[in-house]
Amino acid sequence: MAMQDGAALDVRPGPDPARAAPEHHGAYHTAALFLALYATALIGWTVYGIIQGDGTARDFVEGLFNPGASPASQLVGPWEWAFTAALLATAGLALAHRRLARSAALLCGFLLLALSVREVVGLFDAAYRDRYGTDPLGGWALATRALGLVVAVTVLVAMFPATERWRSGRRTAPPSGGRPRRLSRICGVLFLVMALARLALTVRDLTTPGMDTAHYLRSVVDGSSLGTLNLAASGEFTTVSSVVVLLVLGVLALRARRDIRGALLVFAAMQLYLTVRTVVWLTVTDFFNQSFETPEGALSMATTAYALAAMTSVVVLAMGRGFGASEAYGEETAAAGGE
């Protein structure tokens, strides 16, 4: 406490703008618990696949970045490995009451909900349902799918209300500082360009002569399309879901009206990991020397190069202090406007 012009002036530090308000700690703890629970389930399937597969643990570690060294018998794939890391990182941030965990948790919840809905659609197929009863791992696979649905709903219900609209009796304004808004918009542009590039590649593939477009689209929303109880998400689902997430997060970041730094960081890190695997695969197969022989190969190479640069940039920007300053700046703006 200090004196200014004969009046008392409170100079005690206010609440940390990077941390959730105390009334939301329960929601953050709930999200952390359930996200870590599902991550543990995915780790269990990964370990089981290593034990039952033909490769060794060393082969698996090498296969994390080199697709050519990854055993084909793995029950989960690279997308699930990246998602597991995202779940654990988000759970840790939520446990530490970091505000950026909210958007990251919502992103994880929506992705998990989309996977669960896809599986529910697949269960309408009688032959697919029968596989759960005849496959030795059917019961465990069904339990994992059910757990995913429970985790998705719980996380979304817990984290949606955990907003920081009021703090210290003042309404928190959206980030309006010059630097934070610029960083947010840069990330938004990078995401949107990436979404449009992938959308163009997907449309090109779907319009290729001989392409079964109906089966592709079915694989996006129907878990029975492959006819197996593979816990790994289909390539069609991961491709379309990445386009949708890039578009949604890109628009939100471009508007800079909400704090979505956590979601940007988590999804960019996932995409960066998958892109690095692609680059390694192109290197070990010597595709770099042949990629520019056709327009399609050149376009694919350009998209991969852009993805590597763009996702790295978003990760660096989202982890920087300048981006995080938007939270504090927003509160200062609200306080100044209220006086």
Side-chain angles (χ1 to χ4, degrees):
M1 191 73 69
M3 300 296 292
Q4 183 178 25
D5 297 331
L9 174 66
D10 190 353
V11 296
R12 291 174 298 179
D16 185 353
R19 295 185 179 275
E23 59 266 27
H24 297 319
H25 287 183
Y28 277 66
H29 292 165
T30 299
L33 173 63
F34 278 83
L35 291 175
L37 184 62
Y38 192 74
T40 301
L42 290 180
I43 292 174
W45 281 105
T46 302
V47 173
Y48 181 83
I50 296 173
I51 295 174
Q52 297 297 319
D54 298 330
T56 63
R58 182 176 180 178
D59 294 330
F60 171 77
V61 172
E62 182 181 355
L64 286 175
F65 291 95
N66 180 8
S70 180
S73 60
Q74 283 294 323
L75 300 174
V76 293
W79 192 89
E80 285 71 28
W81 301 336
F83 192 45
T84 300
L87 292 171
L88 291 175
T90 304
L93 291 171
L95 198 61
H97 307 146
R98 306 295 296 185
R99 285 180 58 183
L100 76 166
R102 179 176 181 268
S103 61
L106 291 175
L107 171 64
C108 292
F110 276 120
L111 287 174
L112 195 49
L113 181 62
L115 280 171
S116 301
V117 171
R118 180 176 180 271
E119 189 65 19
V120 170
V121 172
L123 289 175
F124 283 97
D125 184 273
Y128 187 63
R129 291 198 306 271
D130 291 340
R131 287 186 176 273
Y132 277 107
T134 58
D135 193 293
L137 297 177
W140 289 105
L142 186 60
T144 303
R145 296 299 192 187
L147 175 63
L149 180 59
V150 172
V151 170
V153 173
T154 301
V155 169
L156 293 176
V157 170
M159 296 303 282
F160 255 122
T163 59
E164 302 291 333
R165 295 177 62 86
W166 296 87
R167 179 170 285 199
S168 301
R170 305 182 189 273
R171 189 179 187 275
T172 302
S176 55
R179 177 174 171 79
R181 286 181 72 89
R182 283 197 302 271
L183 294 180
S184 179
R185 286 172 175 169
I186 289 172
C187 291
V189 170
L190 293 174
F191 263 46
L192 288 176
V193 173
M194 187 68 228
L196 294 177
R198 286 194 174 171
L199 181 60
L201 289 175
T202 303
V203 171
R204 185 205 65 183
D205 292 339
L206 291 177
T207 55
T208 301
M211 177 67 178
D212 191 347
T213 304
H215 183 269
Y216 185 101
L217 296 177
R218 180 191 169 198
S219 298
V220 175
V221 298
D222 187 352
S224 67
S225 59
L226 296 178
T228 62
L229 298 183
N230 195 344
L231 286 172
S234 68
E236 296 83 356
F237 172 83
T238 58
T239 298
V240 173
S241 64
S242 70
V243 172
V244 173
V245 173
L246 287 168
L247 283 173
V248 173
L249 292 182
V251 171
L252 292 175
L254 192 63
R255 296 179 63 190
R257 296 295 299 276
R258 295 290 184 271
D259 178 21
I260 60 168
R261 184 163 61 108
L264 291 172
L265 176 60
V266 165
F267 196 70
M270 288 180 61
Q271 295 302 303
L272 179 59
Y273 165 71
L274 296 173
T275 303
V276 168
R277 278 179 55 88
T278 300
V279 172
V280 172
W281 177 246
L282 294 175
T283 302
V284 299
T285 57
D286 200 30
F287 185 77
F288 280 120
N289 296 330
Q290 309 170 17
S291 59
F292 294 99
E293 295 178 359
T294 63
E296 292 79 8
L299 180 60
S300 178
M301 281 296 302
T303 303
T304 300
Y306 175 80
L308 187 63
M311 296 303 102
T312 301
S313 299
V314 173
V315 169
V316 172
L317 292 175
M319 293 181 66
R321 288 191 172 188
F323 209 139
S326 63
E327 297 168 352
Y329 192 94
E331 293 192 8
E332 293 170 2
T333 303
E339 293 178 350

